[in-house]
């Protein structure tokens, strides 16, 4: 994790705790971390899940890789160092949402295991639920979809450090949920996630 540079700073505890906020909302907060190749369907399943949770009265917020890079992380590129900082910042943002009692739906390629594990530790040390969801899809299927035309550009050498082409993707070894988006329907994927949330006592609906 990043070095603490600011000095003479102290955590200021408030009177309202995460438990108070979860009681008000009627469910627990958690981070659902969707990881997988570009084009694997991470954002698609996150958007669908967000709608289903909203219909059930569950407070949630979706953090999308491209969206975040147009704002808080607009100064970061795609080197290994920038990818690590990208994920570190999002881990901290997701943690804030969990502390507010909401479910953070974080959809990022996040290709490096060490970066994802660092976010997991960040949550676990705070007593927060971190659920890694591997949206698995073969490179061939993802490249055939290529919704943003990125694989075509990467193959042509127009994009460097592209995961799956000239940068590695380190697949999760023990994710809480392993989806196969090139074999399962969107409905099946969302239902599996909802079942897991109920099993872990995060939602009841």
């Amino acid at each position: 994790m990043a070095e603490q540079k600011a000095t003479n700073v102290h955590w200021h505890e408030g009177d309202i705790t995460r438990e108070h906020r979860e009681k008000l909302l009627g469910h627990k907060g958690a981070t659902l971390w969707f990881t997988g190749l570009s084009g694997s369907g991470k954002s698609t399943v996150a958007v669908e899940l967000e709608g289903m949770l909203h219909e059930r009265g569950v407070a949630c917020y979706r953090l999308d890789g491209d969206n975040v890079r147009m704002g808080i992380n607009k100064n970061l590129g795609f080197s290994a160092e920038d990818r690590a900082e990208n994920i570190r910042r999002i881990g901290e943002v997701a943690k804030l949402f969990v502390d507010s009692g909401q479910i953070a739906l974080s959809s990022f390629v996040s290709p490096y295991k060490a970066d994802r594990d660092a976010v997991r530790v960040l949550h676990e040390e705070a007593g927060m639920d971190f659920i890694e969801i591997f949206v698995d899809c073969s490179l061939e299927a993802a490249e055939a979809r290529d919704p943003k035309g990125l694989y075509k550009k990467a193959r042509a050498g127009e994009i460097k450090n592209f995961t799956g082409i000239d940068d590695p993707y380190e697949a999760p070894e023990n994710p809480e949920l392993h989806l196969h988006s090139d074999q399962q329907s969107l409905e099946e994927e969302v239902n599996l996630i909802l079942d897991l949330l109920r099993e872990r006592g995060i939602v009841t609906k």
Side-chain angles (χ1 to χ4, degrees):
M1 304 304 280
E3 176 190 357
Q4 177 72 47
K5 289 187 176 181
T7 58
N8 298 311
V9 292
H10 306 277
W11 185 267
H12 191 159
E13 202 67 59
D15 295 330
I16 303 301
T17 66
R18 188 190 325 151
E19 288 71 26
H20 287 113
R21 291 186 281 270
E22 290 177 342
K23 184 176 181 181
L24 179 68
L25 292 170
H27 60 78
K28 291 181 63 179
T31 287
L32 275 59
W33 194 275
F34 297 89
T35 177
L37 293 172
S38 177
S40 64
K42 301 180 300 299
S43 294
T44 300
V45 70
V47 166
E48 184 70 14
L49 178 62
E50 182 182 34
M52 296 293 284
L53 290 172
H54 183 76
E55 288 179 4
R56 288 163 169 74
V58 176
C60 58
Y61 193 84
R62 186 172 51 85
L63 298 164
D64 183 81
D66 280 3
N67 295 357
V68 166
R69 283 184 175 275
M70 297 175 73
I72 190 173
N73 288 349
K74 68 191 304 181
N75 65 322
L76 299 176
F78 291 94
S79 66
E81 294 78 12
D82 279 4
R83 286 182 184 273
E85 176 60 12
N86 182 56
I87 297 307
R88 186 196 71 80
R89 291 183 194 177
I90 296 311
E92 293 284 1
V93 171
K95 183 183 168 188
L96 291 174
F97 276 102
V98 178
D99 193 49
S100 76
Q102 299 190 65
I103 294 177
L105 308 175
S106 301
S107 178
F108 296 83
V109 173
S110 44
Y112 304 127
K113 180 180 182 297
D115 296 341
R116 298 192 304 266
D117 287 349
V119 178
R120 178 185 292 278
V121 170
L122 181 71
H123 282 67
E124 290 178 346
E125 288 180 346
M128 296 176 173
D129 280 294
F130 179 85
I131 299 173
E132 187 176 46
I133 300 174
F134 180 23
V135 185
D136 196 357
C137 177
S138 69
L139 177 60
E140 293 74 21
E143 195 165 357
R145 294 173 181 171
D146 203 11
K148 303 171 187 175
L150 299 178
Y151 284 100
K152 183 178 180 181
K153 290 182 178 180
R155 291 291 187 188
E158 298 174 23
I159 300 177
K160 302 298 183 184
N161 307 122
F162 192 77
T163 302
I165 303 300
D166 56 356
D167 246 25
Y169 177 77
E170 299 172 358
E173 296 172 359
N174 295 293
E176 277 73 15
L177 187 59
H178 189 161
L179 302 177
H180 296 272
S181 65
D182 53 356
Q183 302 172 30
Q184 296 169 312
S185 69
L186 183 57
E187 181 181 8
E188 288 173 325
E189 291 178 297
V190 171
N191 284 335
L192 285 170
I193 299 170
L194 290 172
D195 287 345
L196 180 59
L197 292 177
R198 285 188 286 261
E199 288 172 11
R200 293 175 71 105
I202 294 169
V203 301
T204 58
K205 301 176 183 180

